[in-house]
């Protein structure tokens, strides 16, 4: 299954895998995940472990309302994101 990756910031379609230790320390849900960075604008996205699509954007000033915990491509639900954004605590 081929998944189209499109940057939510600039519309770019070229990405590369990046390591961001600060993001891993700051956001627990990034710790074991893979990050892709848009080569056009530098926006970083957490990759869906199920389909390889872009699950959600991550950045230093991330607010809970900005985070998607469910993949738009395949419906995978990330339990670590749910716990971080408080949805899983209800």
């Amino acid at each position: 299954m081929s998944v189209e990756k499109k940057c939510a910031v600039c519309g770019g379609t070229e990405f590369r895998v990046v390591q961001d230790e600060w993001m891993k320390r700051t956001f627990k849900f990034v710790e074991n995940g893979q990050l892709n960075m848009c080569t056009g604008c530098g926006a970083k996205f957490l990759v869906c472990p199920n389909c390889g699509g872009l699950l959600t954007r991550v950045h230093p000033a991330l607010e809970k309302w900005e985070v998607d915990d469910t993949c738009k491509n395949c419906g995978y639900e990330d339990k670590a994101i749910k716990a971080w954004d408080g949805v899983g605590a209800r």
Side-chain angles (χ1 to χ4, degrees):
M1 175 171 115
S2 178
V3 176
E4 180 185 12
K5 293 182 180 182
K6 187 172 184 178
C7 179
V9 177
C10 74
T13 57
E14 292 186 30
F15 295 85
R16 65 181 179 92
V17 175
V18 292
Q19 297 296 323
D20 190 319
E21 296 305 318
W22 185 88
M23 291 273 190
K24 288 182 177 185
R25 286 190 309 273
T26 305
F27 304 113
K28 190 75 170 166
F29 60 87
V30 175
E31 188 175 49
N32 296 315
Q34 181 185 63
L35 288 177
N36 277 190
M37 183 175 79
C38 175
T39 59
C41 70
K44 294 177 184 171
F45 297 86
L46 185 64
V47 175
C48 176
N50 190 51
C51 73
L54 302 177
L55 181 57
T56 192
R57 181 173 178 222
V58 290
H59 58 86
L62 194 62
E63 297 285 338
K64 293 179 181 186
W65 59 268
E66 296 177 286
V67 180
D68 293 320
D69 58 22
T70 303
C71 179
K72 290 177 175 68
N73 294 305
C74 70
Y76 170 81
E77 187 175 85
D78 190 299
K79 290 178 178 32
I81 294 175
K82 267 194 164 318
W84 179 80
D85 71 13
V87 176
R90 289 183 205 154

